[in-house]
Amino acid sequence: MEKLVSPKITKEIVERFGFKFSKSLGQNFLIDENILCKIVDGAEVSKEDGVIEIGPGIGTLTQFLAERAGKVVAVEIDKKLIPILGETLKDEANVELIHQDVLKTDLHKLVEEKFSGQSVKVIANLPYYVTTPIIMKFLEEKVPVSTIVVMIQKEVADRMQAKPGTKDYGSLSVAVQYYCDPKIITKVPRSVFIPQPNVESTVIRLSVLKEPKVKVKDEDLMFDMVRAAFGKRRKTLLNALTSSGLGFEKEDIKEILKKSNIDEARRGETLSIEEFAELADCAYPYRH
Ligand code: SAM
């Protein structure tokens, strides 16, 4: 099978199979070899690696991954794409296709069954309507993958790597940076997709940390406090945490902030992950 990555071949395949793009499934297919190379190079894929690809589409990125990786497992939700992939990937002996919704997939079982002991990377041009749930599923479920390299909406990538005190810093920044070291690889123009999406895109690499960035007694409590702090961005921490439904009395919050050495007049958006962890550890006895 010839390489798909050209507007001409992509259009040909789409027409031959009478395929209709589904906006609601985030179907924007890549047609630029340069970007595909940047994704695969950014993930430093080698024959030692196993790769999980989410949403292979018609198999454009999959073909590139198959050439470089030891094994590729591609998870695609759209049954109309399965016969197309059957043809476009027929020569790729190291690719396995799973017809499934990745959000409903048991990812631990998938890694265990398909990649025995191999280092596993997640590489994808993600459907933008579910970018964050997909990435957070891998991270929160602590699926054993070393690297996640994904094309996502530019604004989401900016939030993932934002630092405290900046306008993009929020609960997504804290959640991602708790588990990973994020690095933006490249910005991507709309013109490299068929059909063109109505947002800008970015390729980001999330290098998953061996241990989360900070030690905290109760992760759920920390993330509840993070969400509360950012839920009312313009309020002081004291007010945001008091009115957030966390269930703490105002006096308790005052004491917790004092014990954590965090000024009650600060805003959540200025706190580092280390400070959120300290805050949650000081709040822990009030919850348990
Ligand atoms: N990888 C192809 C490419 O780069 O040309 C297609 C990428 S397209 C942005 C996203 C793909 O994800 C589509 O093929 C879509 O059908 C698939 N998809 C959407 N939601 C999904 C889900 N929940 N689980 C698995 N695949 C999904």
Side-chain angles (χ1 to χ4, degrees):
M1 176 77 206
E2 55 193 328
K3 287 267 176 285
L4 295 164
V5 63
S6 83
K8 187 168 161 274
I9 297 175
T10 299
K11 278 182 193 148
E12 220 171 83
I13 298 263
V14 163
E15 272 166 30
R16 181 147 57 84
F17 283 85
F19 177 75
K20 300 261 179 297
F21 290 93
S22 156
K23 216 174 172 183
S24 62
L25 288 178
Q27 290 174 343
N28 305 96
F29 297 167
L30 270 169
I31 48 163
D32 184 298
E33 183 154 2
N34 184 32
I35 297 295
L36 284 174
C37 289
K38 282 192 180 162
I39 295 175
V40 179
D41 288 346
E44 296 176 348
V45 182
S46 79
K47 286 285 167 196
E48 311 294 303
D49 294 321
V51 172
I52 300 175
E53 187 195 2
I54 299 139
I58 59 167
T60 313
L61 174 59
T62 327
Q63 287 183 337
F64 267 68
L65 293 170
E67 218 167 76
R68 298 266 211 103
K71 179 173 182 182
V72 182
V73 173
V75 183
E76 173 58 59
I77 195 171
D78 188 353
K79 75 169 190 296
K80 295 194 297 324
L81 288 167
I82 306 302
I84 304 184
L85 288 162
E87 173 166 330
T88 58
L89 301 175
K90 67 175 186 295
D91 299 333
E92 317 294 352
N94 59 345
V95 176
E96 191 174 327
L97 183 62
I98 299 181
H99 173 216
Q100 220 166 58
D101 177 348
V102 72
L103 291 175
K104 294 187 182 148
T105 302
D106 181 339
L107 296 169
H108 277 277
K109 197 163 150 224
L110 184 149
V111 170
E112 219 171 277
E113 284 180 1
K114 309 290 180 194
F115 306 100
S116 43
Q118 242 173 337
S119 132
V120 181
K121 296 176 172 171
V122 177
I123 305 174
N125 168 18
L126 285 179
Y128 293 170
Y129 77 107
V130 279
T131 298
T132 305
I134 292 175
I135 294 176
M136 291 318 296
K137 180 173 165 71
F138 276 93
L139 297 179
E140 285 173 354
E141 292 181 7
K142 301 192 166 76
V143 182
V145 299
S146 61
T147 312
I148 300 175
V149 174
V150 278
M151 169 107 72
I152 57 178
Q153 189 176 334
K154 178 184 175 297
E155 287 74 15
V156 180
D158 289 345
R159 278 167 33 216
M160 285 183 176
Q161 67 137 32
K163 295 287 171 225
T166 62
K167 74 169 177 21
D168 290 328
Y169 188 61
S171 41
L172 182 64
S173 326
V174 177
V176 165
Q177 292 169 36
Y178 177 69
Y179 296 107
C180 306
D181 184 13
K183 186 170 186 317
I184 285 180
I185 295 180
T186 186
K187 280 200 223 157
V188 181
R190 296 170 200 217
S191 56
V192 303
F193 301 94
I194 293 181
Q196 293 192 12
N198 41 23
V199 293
E200 300 295 331
S201 305
T202 293
V203 179
I204 191 167
R205 179 174 60 226
L206 307 174
S207 307
V208 182
L209 302 170
K210 291 221 157 51
E211 297 289 334
K213 175 111 181 233
V214 289
K215 259 200 154 49
V216 60
K217 289 192 183 104
D218 181 342
E219 273 179 9
D220 291 340
L221 175 59
M222 178 174 85
F223 286 115
D224 283 348
M225 298 187 88
V226 168
R227 273 187 290 272
F230 286 108
K232 310 252 165 43
R233 278 183 92 101
R234 273 167 300 178
K235 288 198 174 182
T236 63
L237 263 178
L238 177 62
N239 288 334
L241 295 176
T242 307
S243 62
S244 61
L246 278 173
F248 296 114
E249 299 296 327
K250 190 161 193 168
E251 283 315 305
D252 292 347
I253 301 280
K254 271 187 181 245
E255 273 181 41
I256 293 166
L257 284 163
K258 200 159 179 210
K259 282 188 187 147
S260 358
N261 277 326
I262 297 171
D263 187 332
E264 61 180 42
R266 279 176 67 186
R267 290 177 185 182
E269 65 203 33
T270 67
L271 262 61
S272 64
I273 298 186
E274 288 78 4
E275 287 177 310
F276 275 117
E278 182 61 26
L279 190 64
D281 280 352
C282 291
Y284 185 82
Y286 294 79
R287 259 281 169 96
H288 294 83

